[in-house]
Short mmCIF file of all heavy atoms in Angstrom, two decimals:
data_model
loop_
_atom_site.label_atom_id
_atom_site.label_comp_id
_atom_site.label_asym_id
_atom_site.label_seq_id
_atom_site.Cartn_x
_atom_site.Cartn_y
_atom_site.Cartn_z
N GLY A 216 -6.85 16.93 0.07
CA GLY A 216 -6.75 18.38 -0.12
C GLY A 216 -6.46 18.73 -1.57
O GLY A 216 -7.04 19.67 -2.13
N THR A 217 -5.58 17.94 -2.18
CA THR A 217 -5.25 18.19 -3.59
C THR A 217 -6.45 17.90 -4.49
O THR A 217 -6.68 18.61 -5.46
CB THR A 217 -4.04 17.32 -4.01
OG1 THR A 217 -2.99 17.50 -3.06
CG2 THR A 217 -3.54 17.70 -5.39
N MET A 218 -7.24 16.88 -4.14
CA MET A 218 -8.45 16.60 -4.93
C MET A 218 -9.43 17.78 -4.83
O MET A 218 -10.12 18.12 -5.79
CB MET A 218 -9.15 15.33 -4.43
CG MET A 218 -8.38 14.05 -4.73
SD MET A 218 -9.23 12.57 -4.11
CE MET A 218 -10.47 12.33 -5.42
N ARG A 219 -9.50 18.39 -3.68
CA ARG A 219 -10.39 19.55 -3.52
C ARG A 219 -9.93 20.69 -4.41
O ARG A 219 -10.73 21.34 -5.09
CB ARG A 219 -10.41 20.00 -2.06
CG ARG A 219 -10.98 18.93 -1.14
CD ARG A 219 -10.88 19.32 0.31
NE ARG A 219 -11.78 20.44 0.63
CZ ARG A 219 -12.13 20.77 1.86
NH1 ARG A 219 -11.67 20.09 2.89
NH2 ARG A 219 -12.94 21.78 2.07
N LEU A 220 -8.61 20.93 -4.42
CA LEU A 220 -8.05 22.01 -5.23
C LEU A 220 -8.19 21.73 -6.72
O LEU A 220 -8.60 22.60 -7.49
CB LEU A 220 -6.56 22.15 -4.93
CG LEU A 220 -6.12 23.03 -3.78
CD1 LEU A 220 -4.62 22.90 -3.59
CD2 LEU A 220 -6.49 24.49 -4.07
N GLU A 221 -7.82 20.53 -7.12
CA GLU A 221 -7.74 20.21 -8.55
C GLU A 221 -9.10 19.96 -9.18
O GLU A 221 -9.33 20.30 -10.33
CB GLU A 221 -6.86 18.96 -8.76
CG GLU A 221 -5.41 19.14 -8.36
CD GLU A 221 -4.60 19.86 -9.43
OE1 GLU A 221 -4.99 19.83 -10.61
OE2 GLU A 221 -3.56 20.45 -9.07
N PHE A 222 -9.99 19.31 -8.42
CA PHE A 222 -11.25 18.86 -9.02
C PHE A 222 -12.48 19.47 -8.36
O PHE A 222 -13.61 19.17 -8.75
CB PHE A 222 -11.36 17.33 -8.92
CG PHE A 222 -10.16 16.58 -9.42
CD1 PHE A 222 -9.49 15.66 -8.61
CD2 PHE A 222 -9.69 16.77 -10.73
CE1 PHE A 222 -8.38 14.96 -9.08
CE2 PHE A 222 -8.59 16.06 -11.20
CZ PHE A 222 -7.93 15.17 -10.37
N GLY A 223 -12.27 20.27 -7.34
CA GLY A 223 -13.42 20.80 -6.62
C GLY A 223 -14.15 19.72 -5.83
O GLY A 223 -15.35 19.84 -5.56
N SER A 224 -13.44 18.67 -5.48
CA SER A 224 -14.06 17.57 -4.73
C SER A 224 -14.51 18.06 -3.35
O SER A 224 -13.85 18.91 -2.74
CB SER A 224 -13.06 16.43 -4.53
OG SER A 224 -12.77 15.82 -5.77
N LYS A 225 -15.63 17.52 -2.90
CA LYS A 225 -16.09 17.80 -1.54
C LYS A 225 -15.97 16.50 -0.74
O LYS A 225 -16.43 15.45 -1.21
CB LYS A 225 -17.53 18.27 -1.56
CG LYS A 225 -17.70 19.62 -2.24
CD LYS A 225 -19.15 20.01 -2.34
CE LYS A 225 -19.27 21.34 -3.07
NZ LYS A 225 -20.63 21.54 -3.63
N PRO A 226 -15.37 16.57 0.43
CA PRO A 226 -15.13 15.34 1.20
C PRO A 226 -16.39 14.50 1.41
O PRO A 226 -16.31 13.28 1.44
CB PRO A 226 -14.59 15.87 2.54
CG PRO A 226 -13.92 17.15 2.17
CD PRO A 226 -14.77 17.76 1.07
N LYS A 227 -17.55 15.13 1.49
CA LYS A 227 -18.77 14.34 1.74
C LYS A 227 -19.14 13.45 0.55
O LYS A 227 -19.93 12.52 0.70
CB LYS A 227 -19.93 15.26 2.11
CG LYS A 227 -20.45 16.13 0.97
CD LYS A 227 -21.68 16.92 1.41
CE LYS A 227 -22.15 17.92 0.36
NZ LYS A 227 -22.48 17.34 -0.95
N ASP A 228 -18.58 13.76 -0.63
CA ASP A 228 -18.87 12.95 -1.81
C ASP A 228 -17.83 11.84 -2.02
O ASP A 228 -17.92 11.08 -2.99
CB ASP A 228 -18.86 13.83 -3.07
CG ASP A 228 -19.95 14.88 -3.04
OD1 ASP A 228 -21.06 14.56 -2.57
OD2 ASP A 228 -19.69 16.01 -3.48
N LEU A 229 -16.83 11.78 -1.18
CA LEU A 229 -15.73 10.83 -1.41
C LEU A 229 -15.98 9.49 -0.70
O LEU A 229 -16.47 9.47 0.43
CB LEU A 229 -14.40 11.42 -0.92
CG LEU A 229 -13.98 12.76 -1.54
CD1 LEU A 229 -12.64 13.20 -0.96
CD2 LEU A 229 -13.90 12.67 -3.06
N VAL A 230 -15.63 8.43 -1.40
CA VAL A 230 -15.62 7.11 -0.78
C VAL A 230 -14.19 6.57 -0.90
O VAL A 230 -13.49 6.86 -1.86
CB VAL A 230 -16.61 6.12 -1.45
CG1 VAL A 230 -18.05 6.56 -1.19
CG2 VAL A 230 -16.36 6.01 -2.94
N ALA A 231 -13.77 5.80 0.09
CA ALA A 231 -12.38 5.35 0.12
C ALA A 231 -12.28 3.89 0.54
O ALA A 231 -13.14 3.37 1.26
CB ALA A 231 -11.57 6.22 1.09
N ALA A 232 -11.22 3.25 0.06
CA ALA A 232 -10.94 1.87 0.46
C ALA A 232 -9.48 1.76 0.88
O ALA A 232 -8.59 2.30 0.22
CB ALA A 232 -11.23 0.91 -0.69
N ILE A 233 -9.27 1.08 1.99
CA ILE A 233 -7.92 0.80 2.49
C ILE A 233 -7.69 -0.68 2.27
O ILE A 233 -8.37 -1.53 2.84
CB ILE A 233 -7.81 1.18 3.99
CG1 ILE A 233 -8.00 2.71 4.14
CG2 ILE A 233 -6.49 0.72 4.58
CD1 ILE A 233 -8.07 3.20 5.57
N GLY A 234 -6.75 -0.99 1.39
CA GLY A 234 -6.61 -2.36 0.90
C GLY A 234 -5.76 -3.26 1.77
O GLY A 234 -5.22 -2.85 2.81
N PRO A 235 -5.63 -4.51 1.33
CA PRO A 235 -4.83 -5.49 2.08
C PRO A 235 -3.39 -5.01 2.22
O PRO A 235 -2.79 -4.55 1.25
CB PRO A 235 -4.88 -6.75 1.20
CG PRO A 235 -6.02 -6.55 0.27
CD PRO A 235 -6.18 -5.06 0.10
N SER A 236 -2.85 -5.10 3.41
CA SER A 236 -1.51 -4.60 3.69
C SER A 236 -1.14 -5.10 5.09
O SER A 236 -1.96 -5.75 5.75
CB SER A 236 -1.50 -3.07 3.64
OG SER A 236 -2.69 -2.53 4.19
N ILE A 237 0.05 -4.78 5.53
CA ILE A 237 0.49 -5.37 6.79
C ILE A 237 -0.34 -4.82 7.96
O ILE A 237 -0.55 -3.61 8.07
CB ILE A 237 2.01 -5.18 7.00
CG1 ILE A 237 2.53 -6.13 8.07
CG2 ILE A 237 2.36 -3.73 7.32
CD1 ILE A 237 4.04 -6.36 8.03
N GLY A 238 -0.82 -5.72 8.80
CA GLY A 238 -1.66 -5.32 9.93
C GLY A 238 -0.83 -5.05 11.17
O GLY A 238 0.37 -5.37 11.23
N ALA A 239 -1.48 -4.48 12.16
CA ALA A 239 -0.80 -4.22 13.43
C ALA A 239 -0.30 -5.53 14.05
O ALA A 239 0.67 -5.55 14.81
CB ALA A 239 -1.73 -3.50 14.40
N CYS A 240 -0.93 -6.64 13.69
CA CYS A 240 -0.51 -7.96 14.18
C CYS A 240 0.94 -8.27 13.83
O CYS A 240 1.64 -8.93 14.59
CB CYS A 240 -1.43 -9.03 13.60
SG CYS A 240 -1.78 -8.81 11.83
N CYS A 241 1.38 -7.80 12.67
CA CYS A 241 2.70 -8.18 12.16
C CYS A 241 3.66 -7.01 11.96
O CYS A 241 4.82 -7.23 11.64
CB CYS A 241 2.55 -8.89 10.82
SG CYS A 241 1.71 -10.48 10.94
N PHE A 242 3.18 -5.79 12.11
CA PHE A 242 4.02 -4.65 11.77
C PHE A 242 4.77 -4.10 12.98
O PHE A 242 4.38 -3.11 13.60
CB PHE A 242 3.20 -3.55 11.10
CG PHE A 242 4.06 -2.49 10.43
CD1 PHE A 242 5.19 -2.85 9.70
CD2 PHE A 242 3.74 -1.15 10.53
CE1 PHE A 242 5.98 -1.89 9.09
CE2 PHE A 242 4.53 -0.18 9.93
CZ PHE A 242 5.65 -0.56 9.20
N ALA A 243 5.85 -4.78 13.32
CA ALA A 243 6.72 -4.32 14.40
C ALA A 243 7.63 -3.23 13.86
O ALA A 243 8.18 -3.34 12.76
CB ALA A 243 7.56 -5.49 14.92
N VAL A 244 7.75 -2.16 14.61
CA VAL A 244 8.59 -1.04 14.17
C VAL A 244 9.55 -0.63 15.29
O VAL A 244 9.41 -1.06 16.43
CB VAL A 244 7.72 0.20 13.79
CG1 VAL A 244 6.81 -0.13 12.62
CG2 VAL A 244 6.90 0.69 14.99
N GLY A 245 10.50 0.18 14.93
CA GLY A 245 11.45 0.68 15.92
C GLY A 245 10.89 1.87 16.68
O GLY A 245 9.94 2.51 16.23
N GLU A 246 11.51 2.15 17.81
CA GLU A 246 11.08 3.28 18.64
C GLU A 246 11.13 4.60 17.86
O GLU A 246 10.32 5.50 18.08
CB GLU A 246 11.99 3.35 19.88
CG GLU A 246 11.70 4.50 20.81
CD GLU A 246 10.27 4.52 21.35
OE1 GLU A 246 9.82 3.47 21.82
OE2 GLU A 246 9.62 5.59 21.29
N GLU A 247 12.06 4.70 16.91
CA GLU A 247 12.19 5.96 16.16
C GLU A 247 10.97 6.24 15.30
O GLU A 247 10.62 7.39 15.07
CB GLU A 247 13.48 5.95 15.32
CG GLU A 247 13.47 5.07 14.08
CD GLU A 247 13.62 3.57 14.35
OE1 GLU A 247 13.78 3.19 15.54
OE2 GLU A 247 13.56 2.78 13.39
N VAL A 248 10.29 5.17 14.87
CA VAL A 248 9.07 5.38 14.08
C VAL A 248 7.99 5.96 14.98
O VAL A 248 7.33 6.95 14.64
CB VAL A 248 8.60 4.05 13.43
CG1 VAL A 248 7.24 4.24 12.74
CG2 VAL A 248 9.64 3.54 12.43
N ARG A 249 7.83 5.37 16.15
CA ARG A 249 6.81 5.87 17.08
C ARG A 249 7.09 7.33 17.46
O ARG A 249 6.19 8.16 17.48
CB ARG A 249 6.75 5.00 18.34
CG ARG A 249 5.75 5.55 19.36
CD ARG A 249 5.34 4.53 20.39
NE ARG A 249 6.44 4.15 21.27
CZ ARG A 249 6.32 3.29 22.28
NH1 ARG A 249 5.15 2.72 22.54
NH2 ARG A 249 7.35 2.98 23.03
N SER A 250 8.36 7.65 17.72
CA SER A 250 8.63 9.02 18.15
C SER A 250 8.39 10.03 17.03
O SER A 250 7.93 11.15 17.28
CB SER A 250 10.03 9.17 18.76
OG SER A 250 10.99 8.68 17.89
N GLN A 251 8.62 9.60 15.79
CA GLN A 251 8.33 10.54 14.69
C GLN A 251 6.83 10.80 14.57
O GLN A 251 6.40 11.92 14.32
CB GLN A 251 8.86 9.98 13.36
CG GLN A 251 10.38 10.08 13.25
CD GLN A 251 10.87 9.75 11.86
OE1 GLN A 251 10.62 10.49 10.93
NE2 GLN A 251 11.54 8.63 11.71
N PHE A 252 6.02 9.76 14.76
CA PHE A 252 4.57 9.95 14.70
C PHE A 252 4.10 10.77 15.90
O PHE A 252 3.22 11.62 15.76
CB PHE A 252 3.85 8.61 14.61
CG PHE A 252 3.73 8.11 13.19
CD1 PHE A 252 4.76 7.38 12.63
CD2 PHE A 252 2.61 8.40 12.41
CE1 PHE A 252 4.68 6.94 11.31
CE2 PHE A 252 2.52 7.97 11.10
CZ PHE A 252 3.56 7.23 10.54
N GLU A 253 4.70 10.52 17.05
CA GLU A 253 4.29 11.28 18.24
C GLU A 253 4.56 12.77 18.07
O GLU A 253 3.82 13.61 18.59
CB GLU A 253 5.04 10.74 19.48
CG GLU A 253 4.38 9.47 20.02
CD GLU A 253 5.19 8.80 21.12
OE1 GLU A 253 6.37 9.16 21.31
OE2 GLU A 253 4.63 7.89 21.77
#
Side-chain angles (χ1 to χ4, degrees):
T217 309
M218 290 180 80
R219 297 175 69 164
L220 273 174
E221 296 280 336
F222 309 124
S224 293
K225 294 175 182 159
K227 69 175 174 58
D228 297 322
L229 302 180
V230 292
I233 295 174
S236 38
I237 197 161
C240 44
C241 294
F242 194 42
V244 297
E246 177 58 50
E247 73 284 358
V248 174
R249 177 162 66 178
S250 53
Q251 286 190 68
F252 274 86
E253 280 172 347

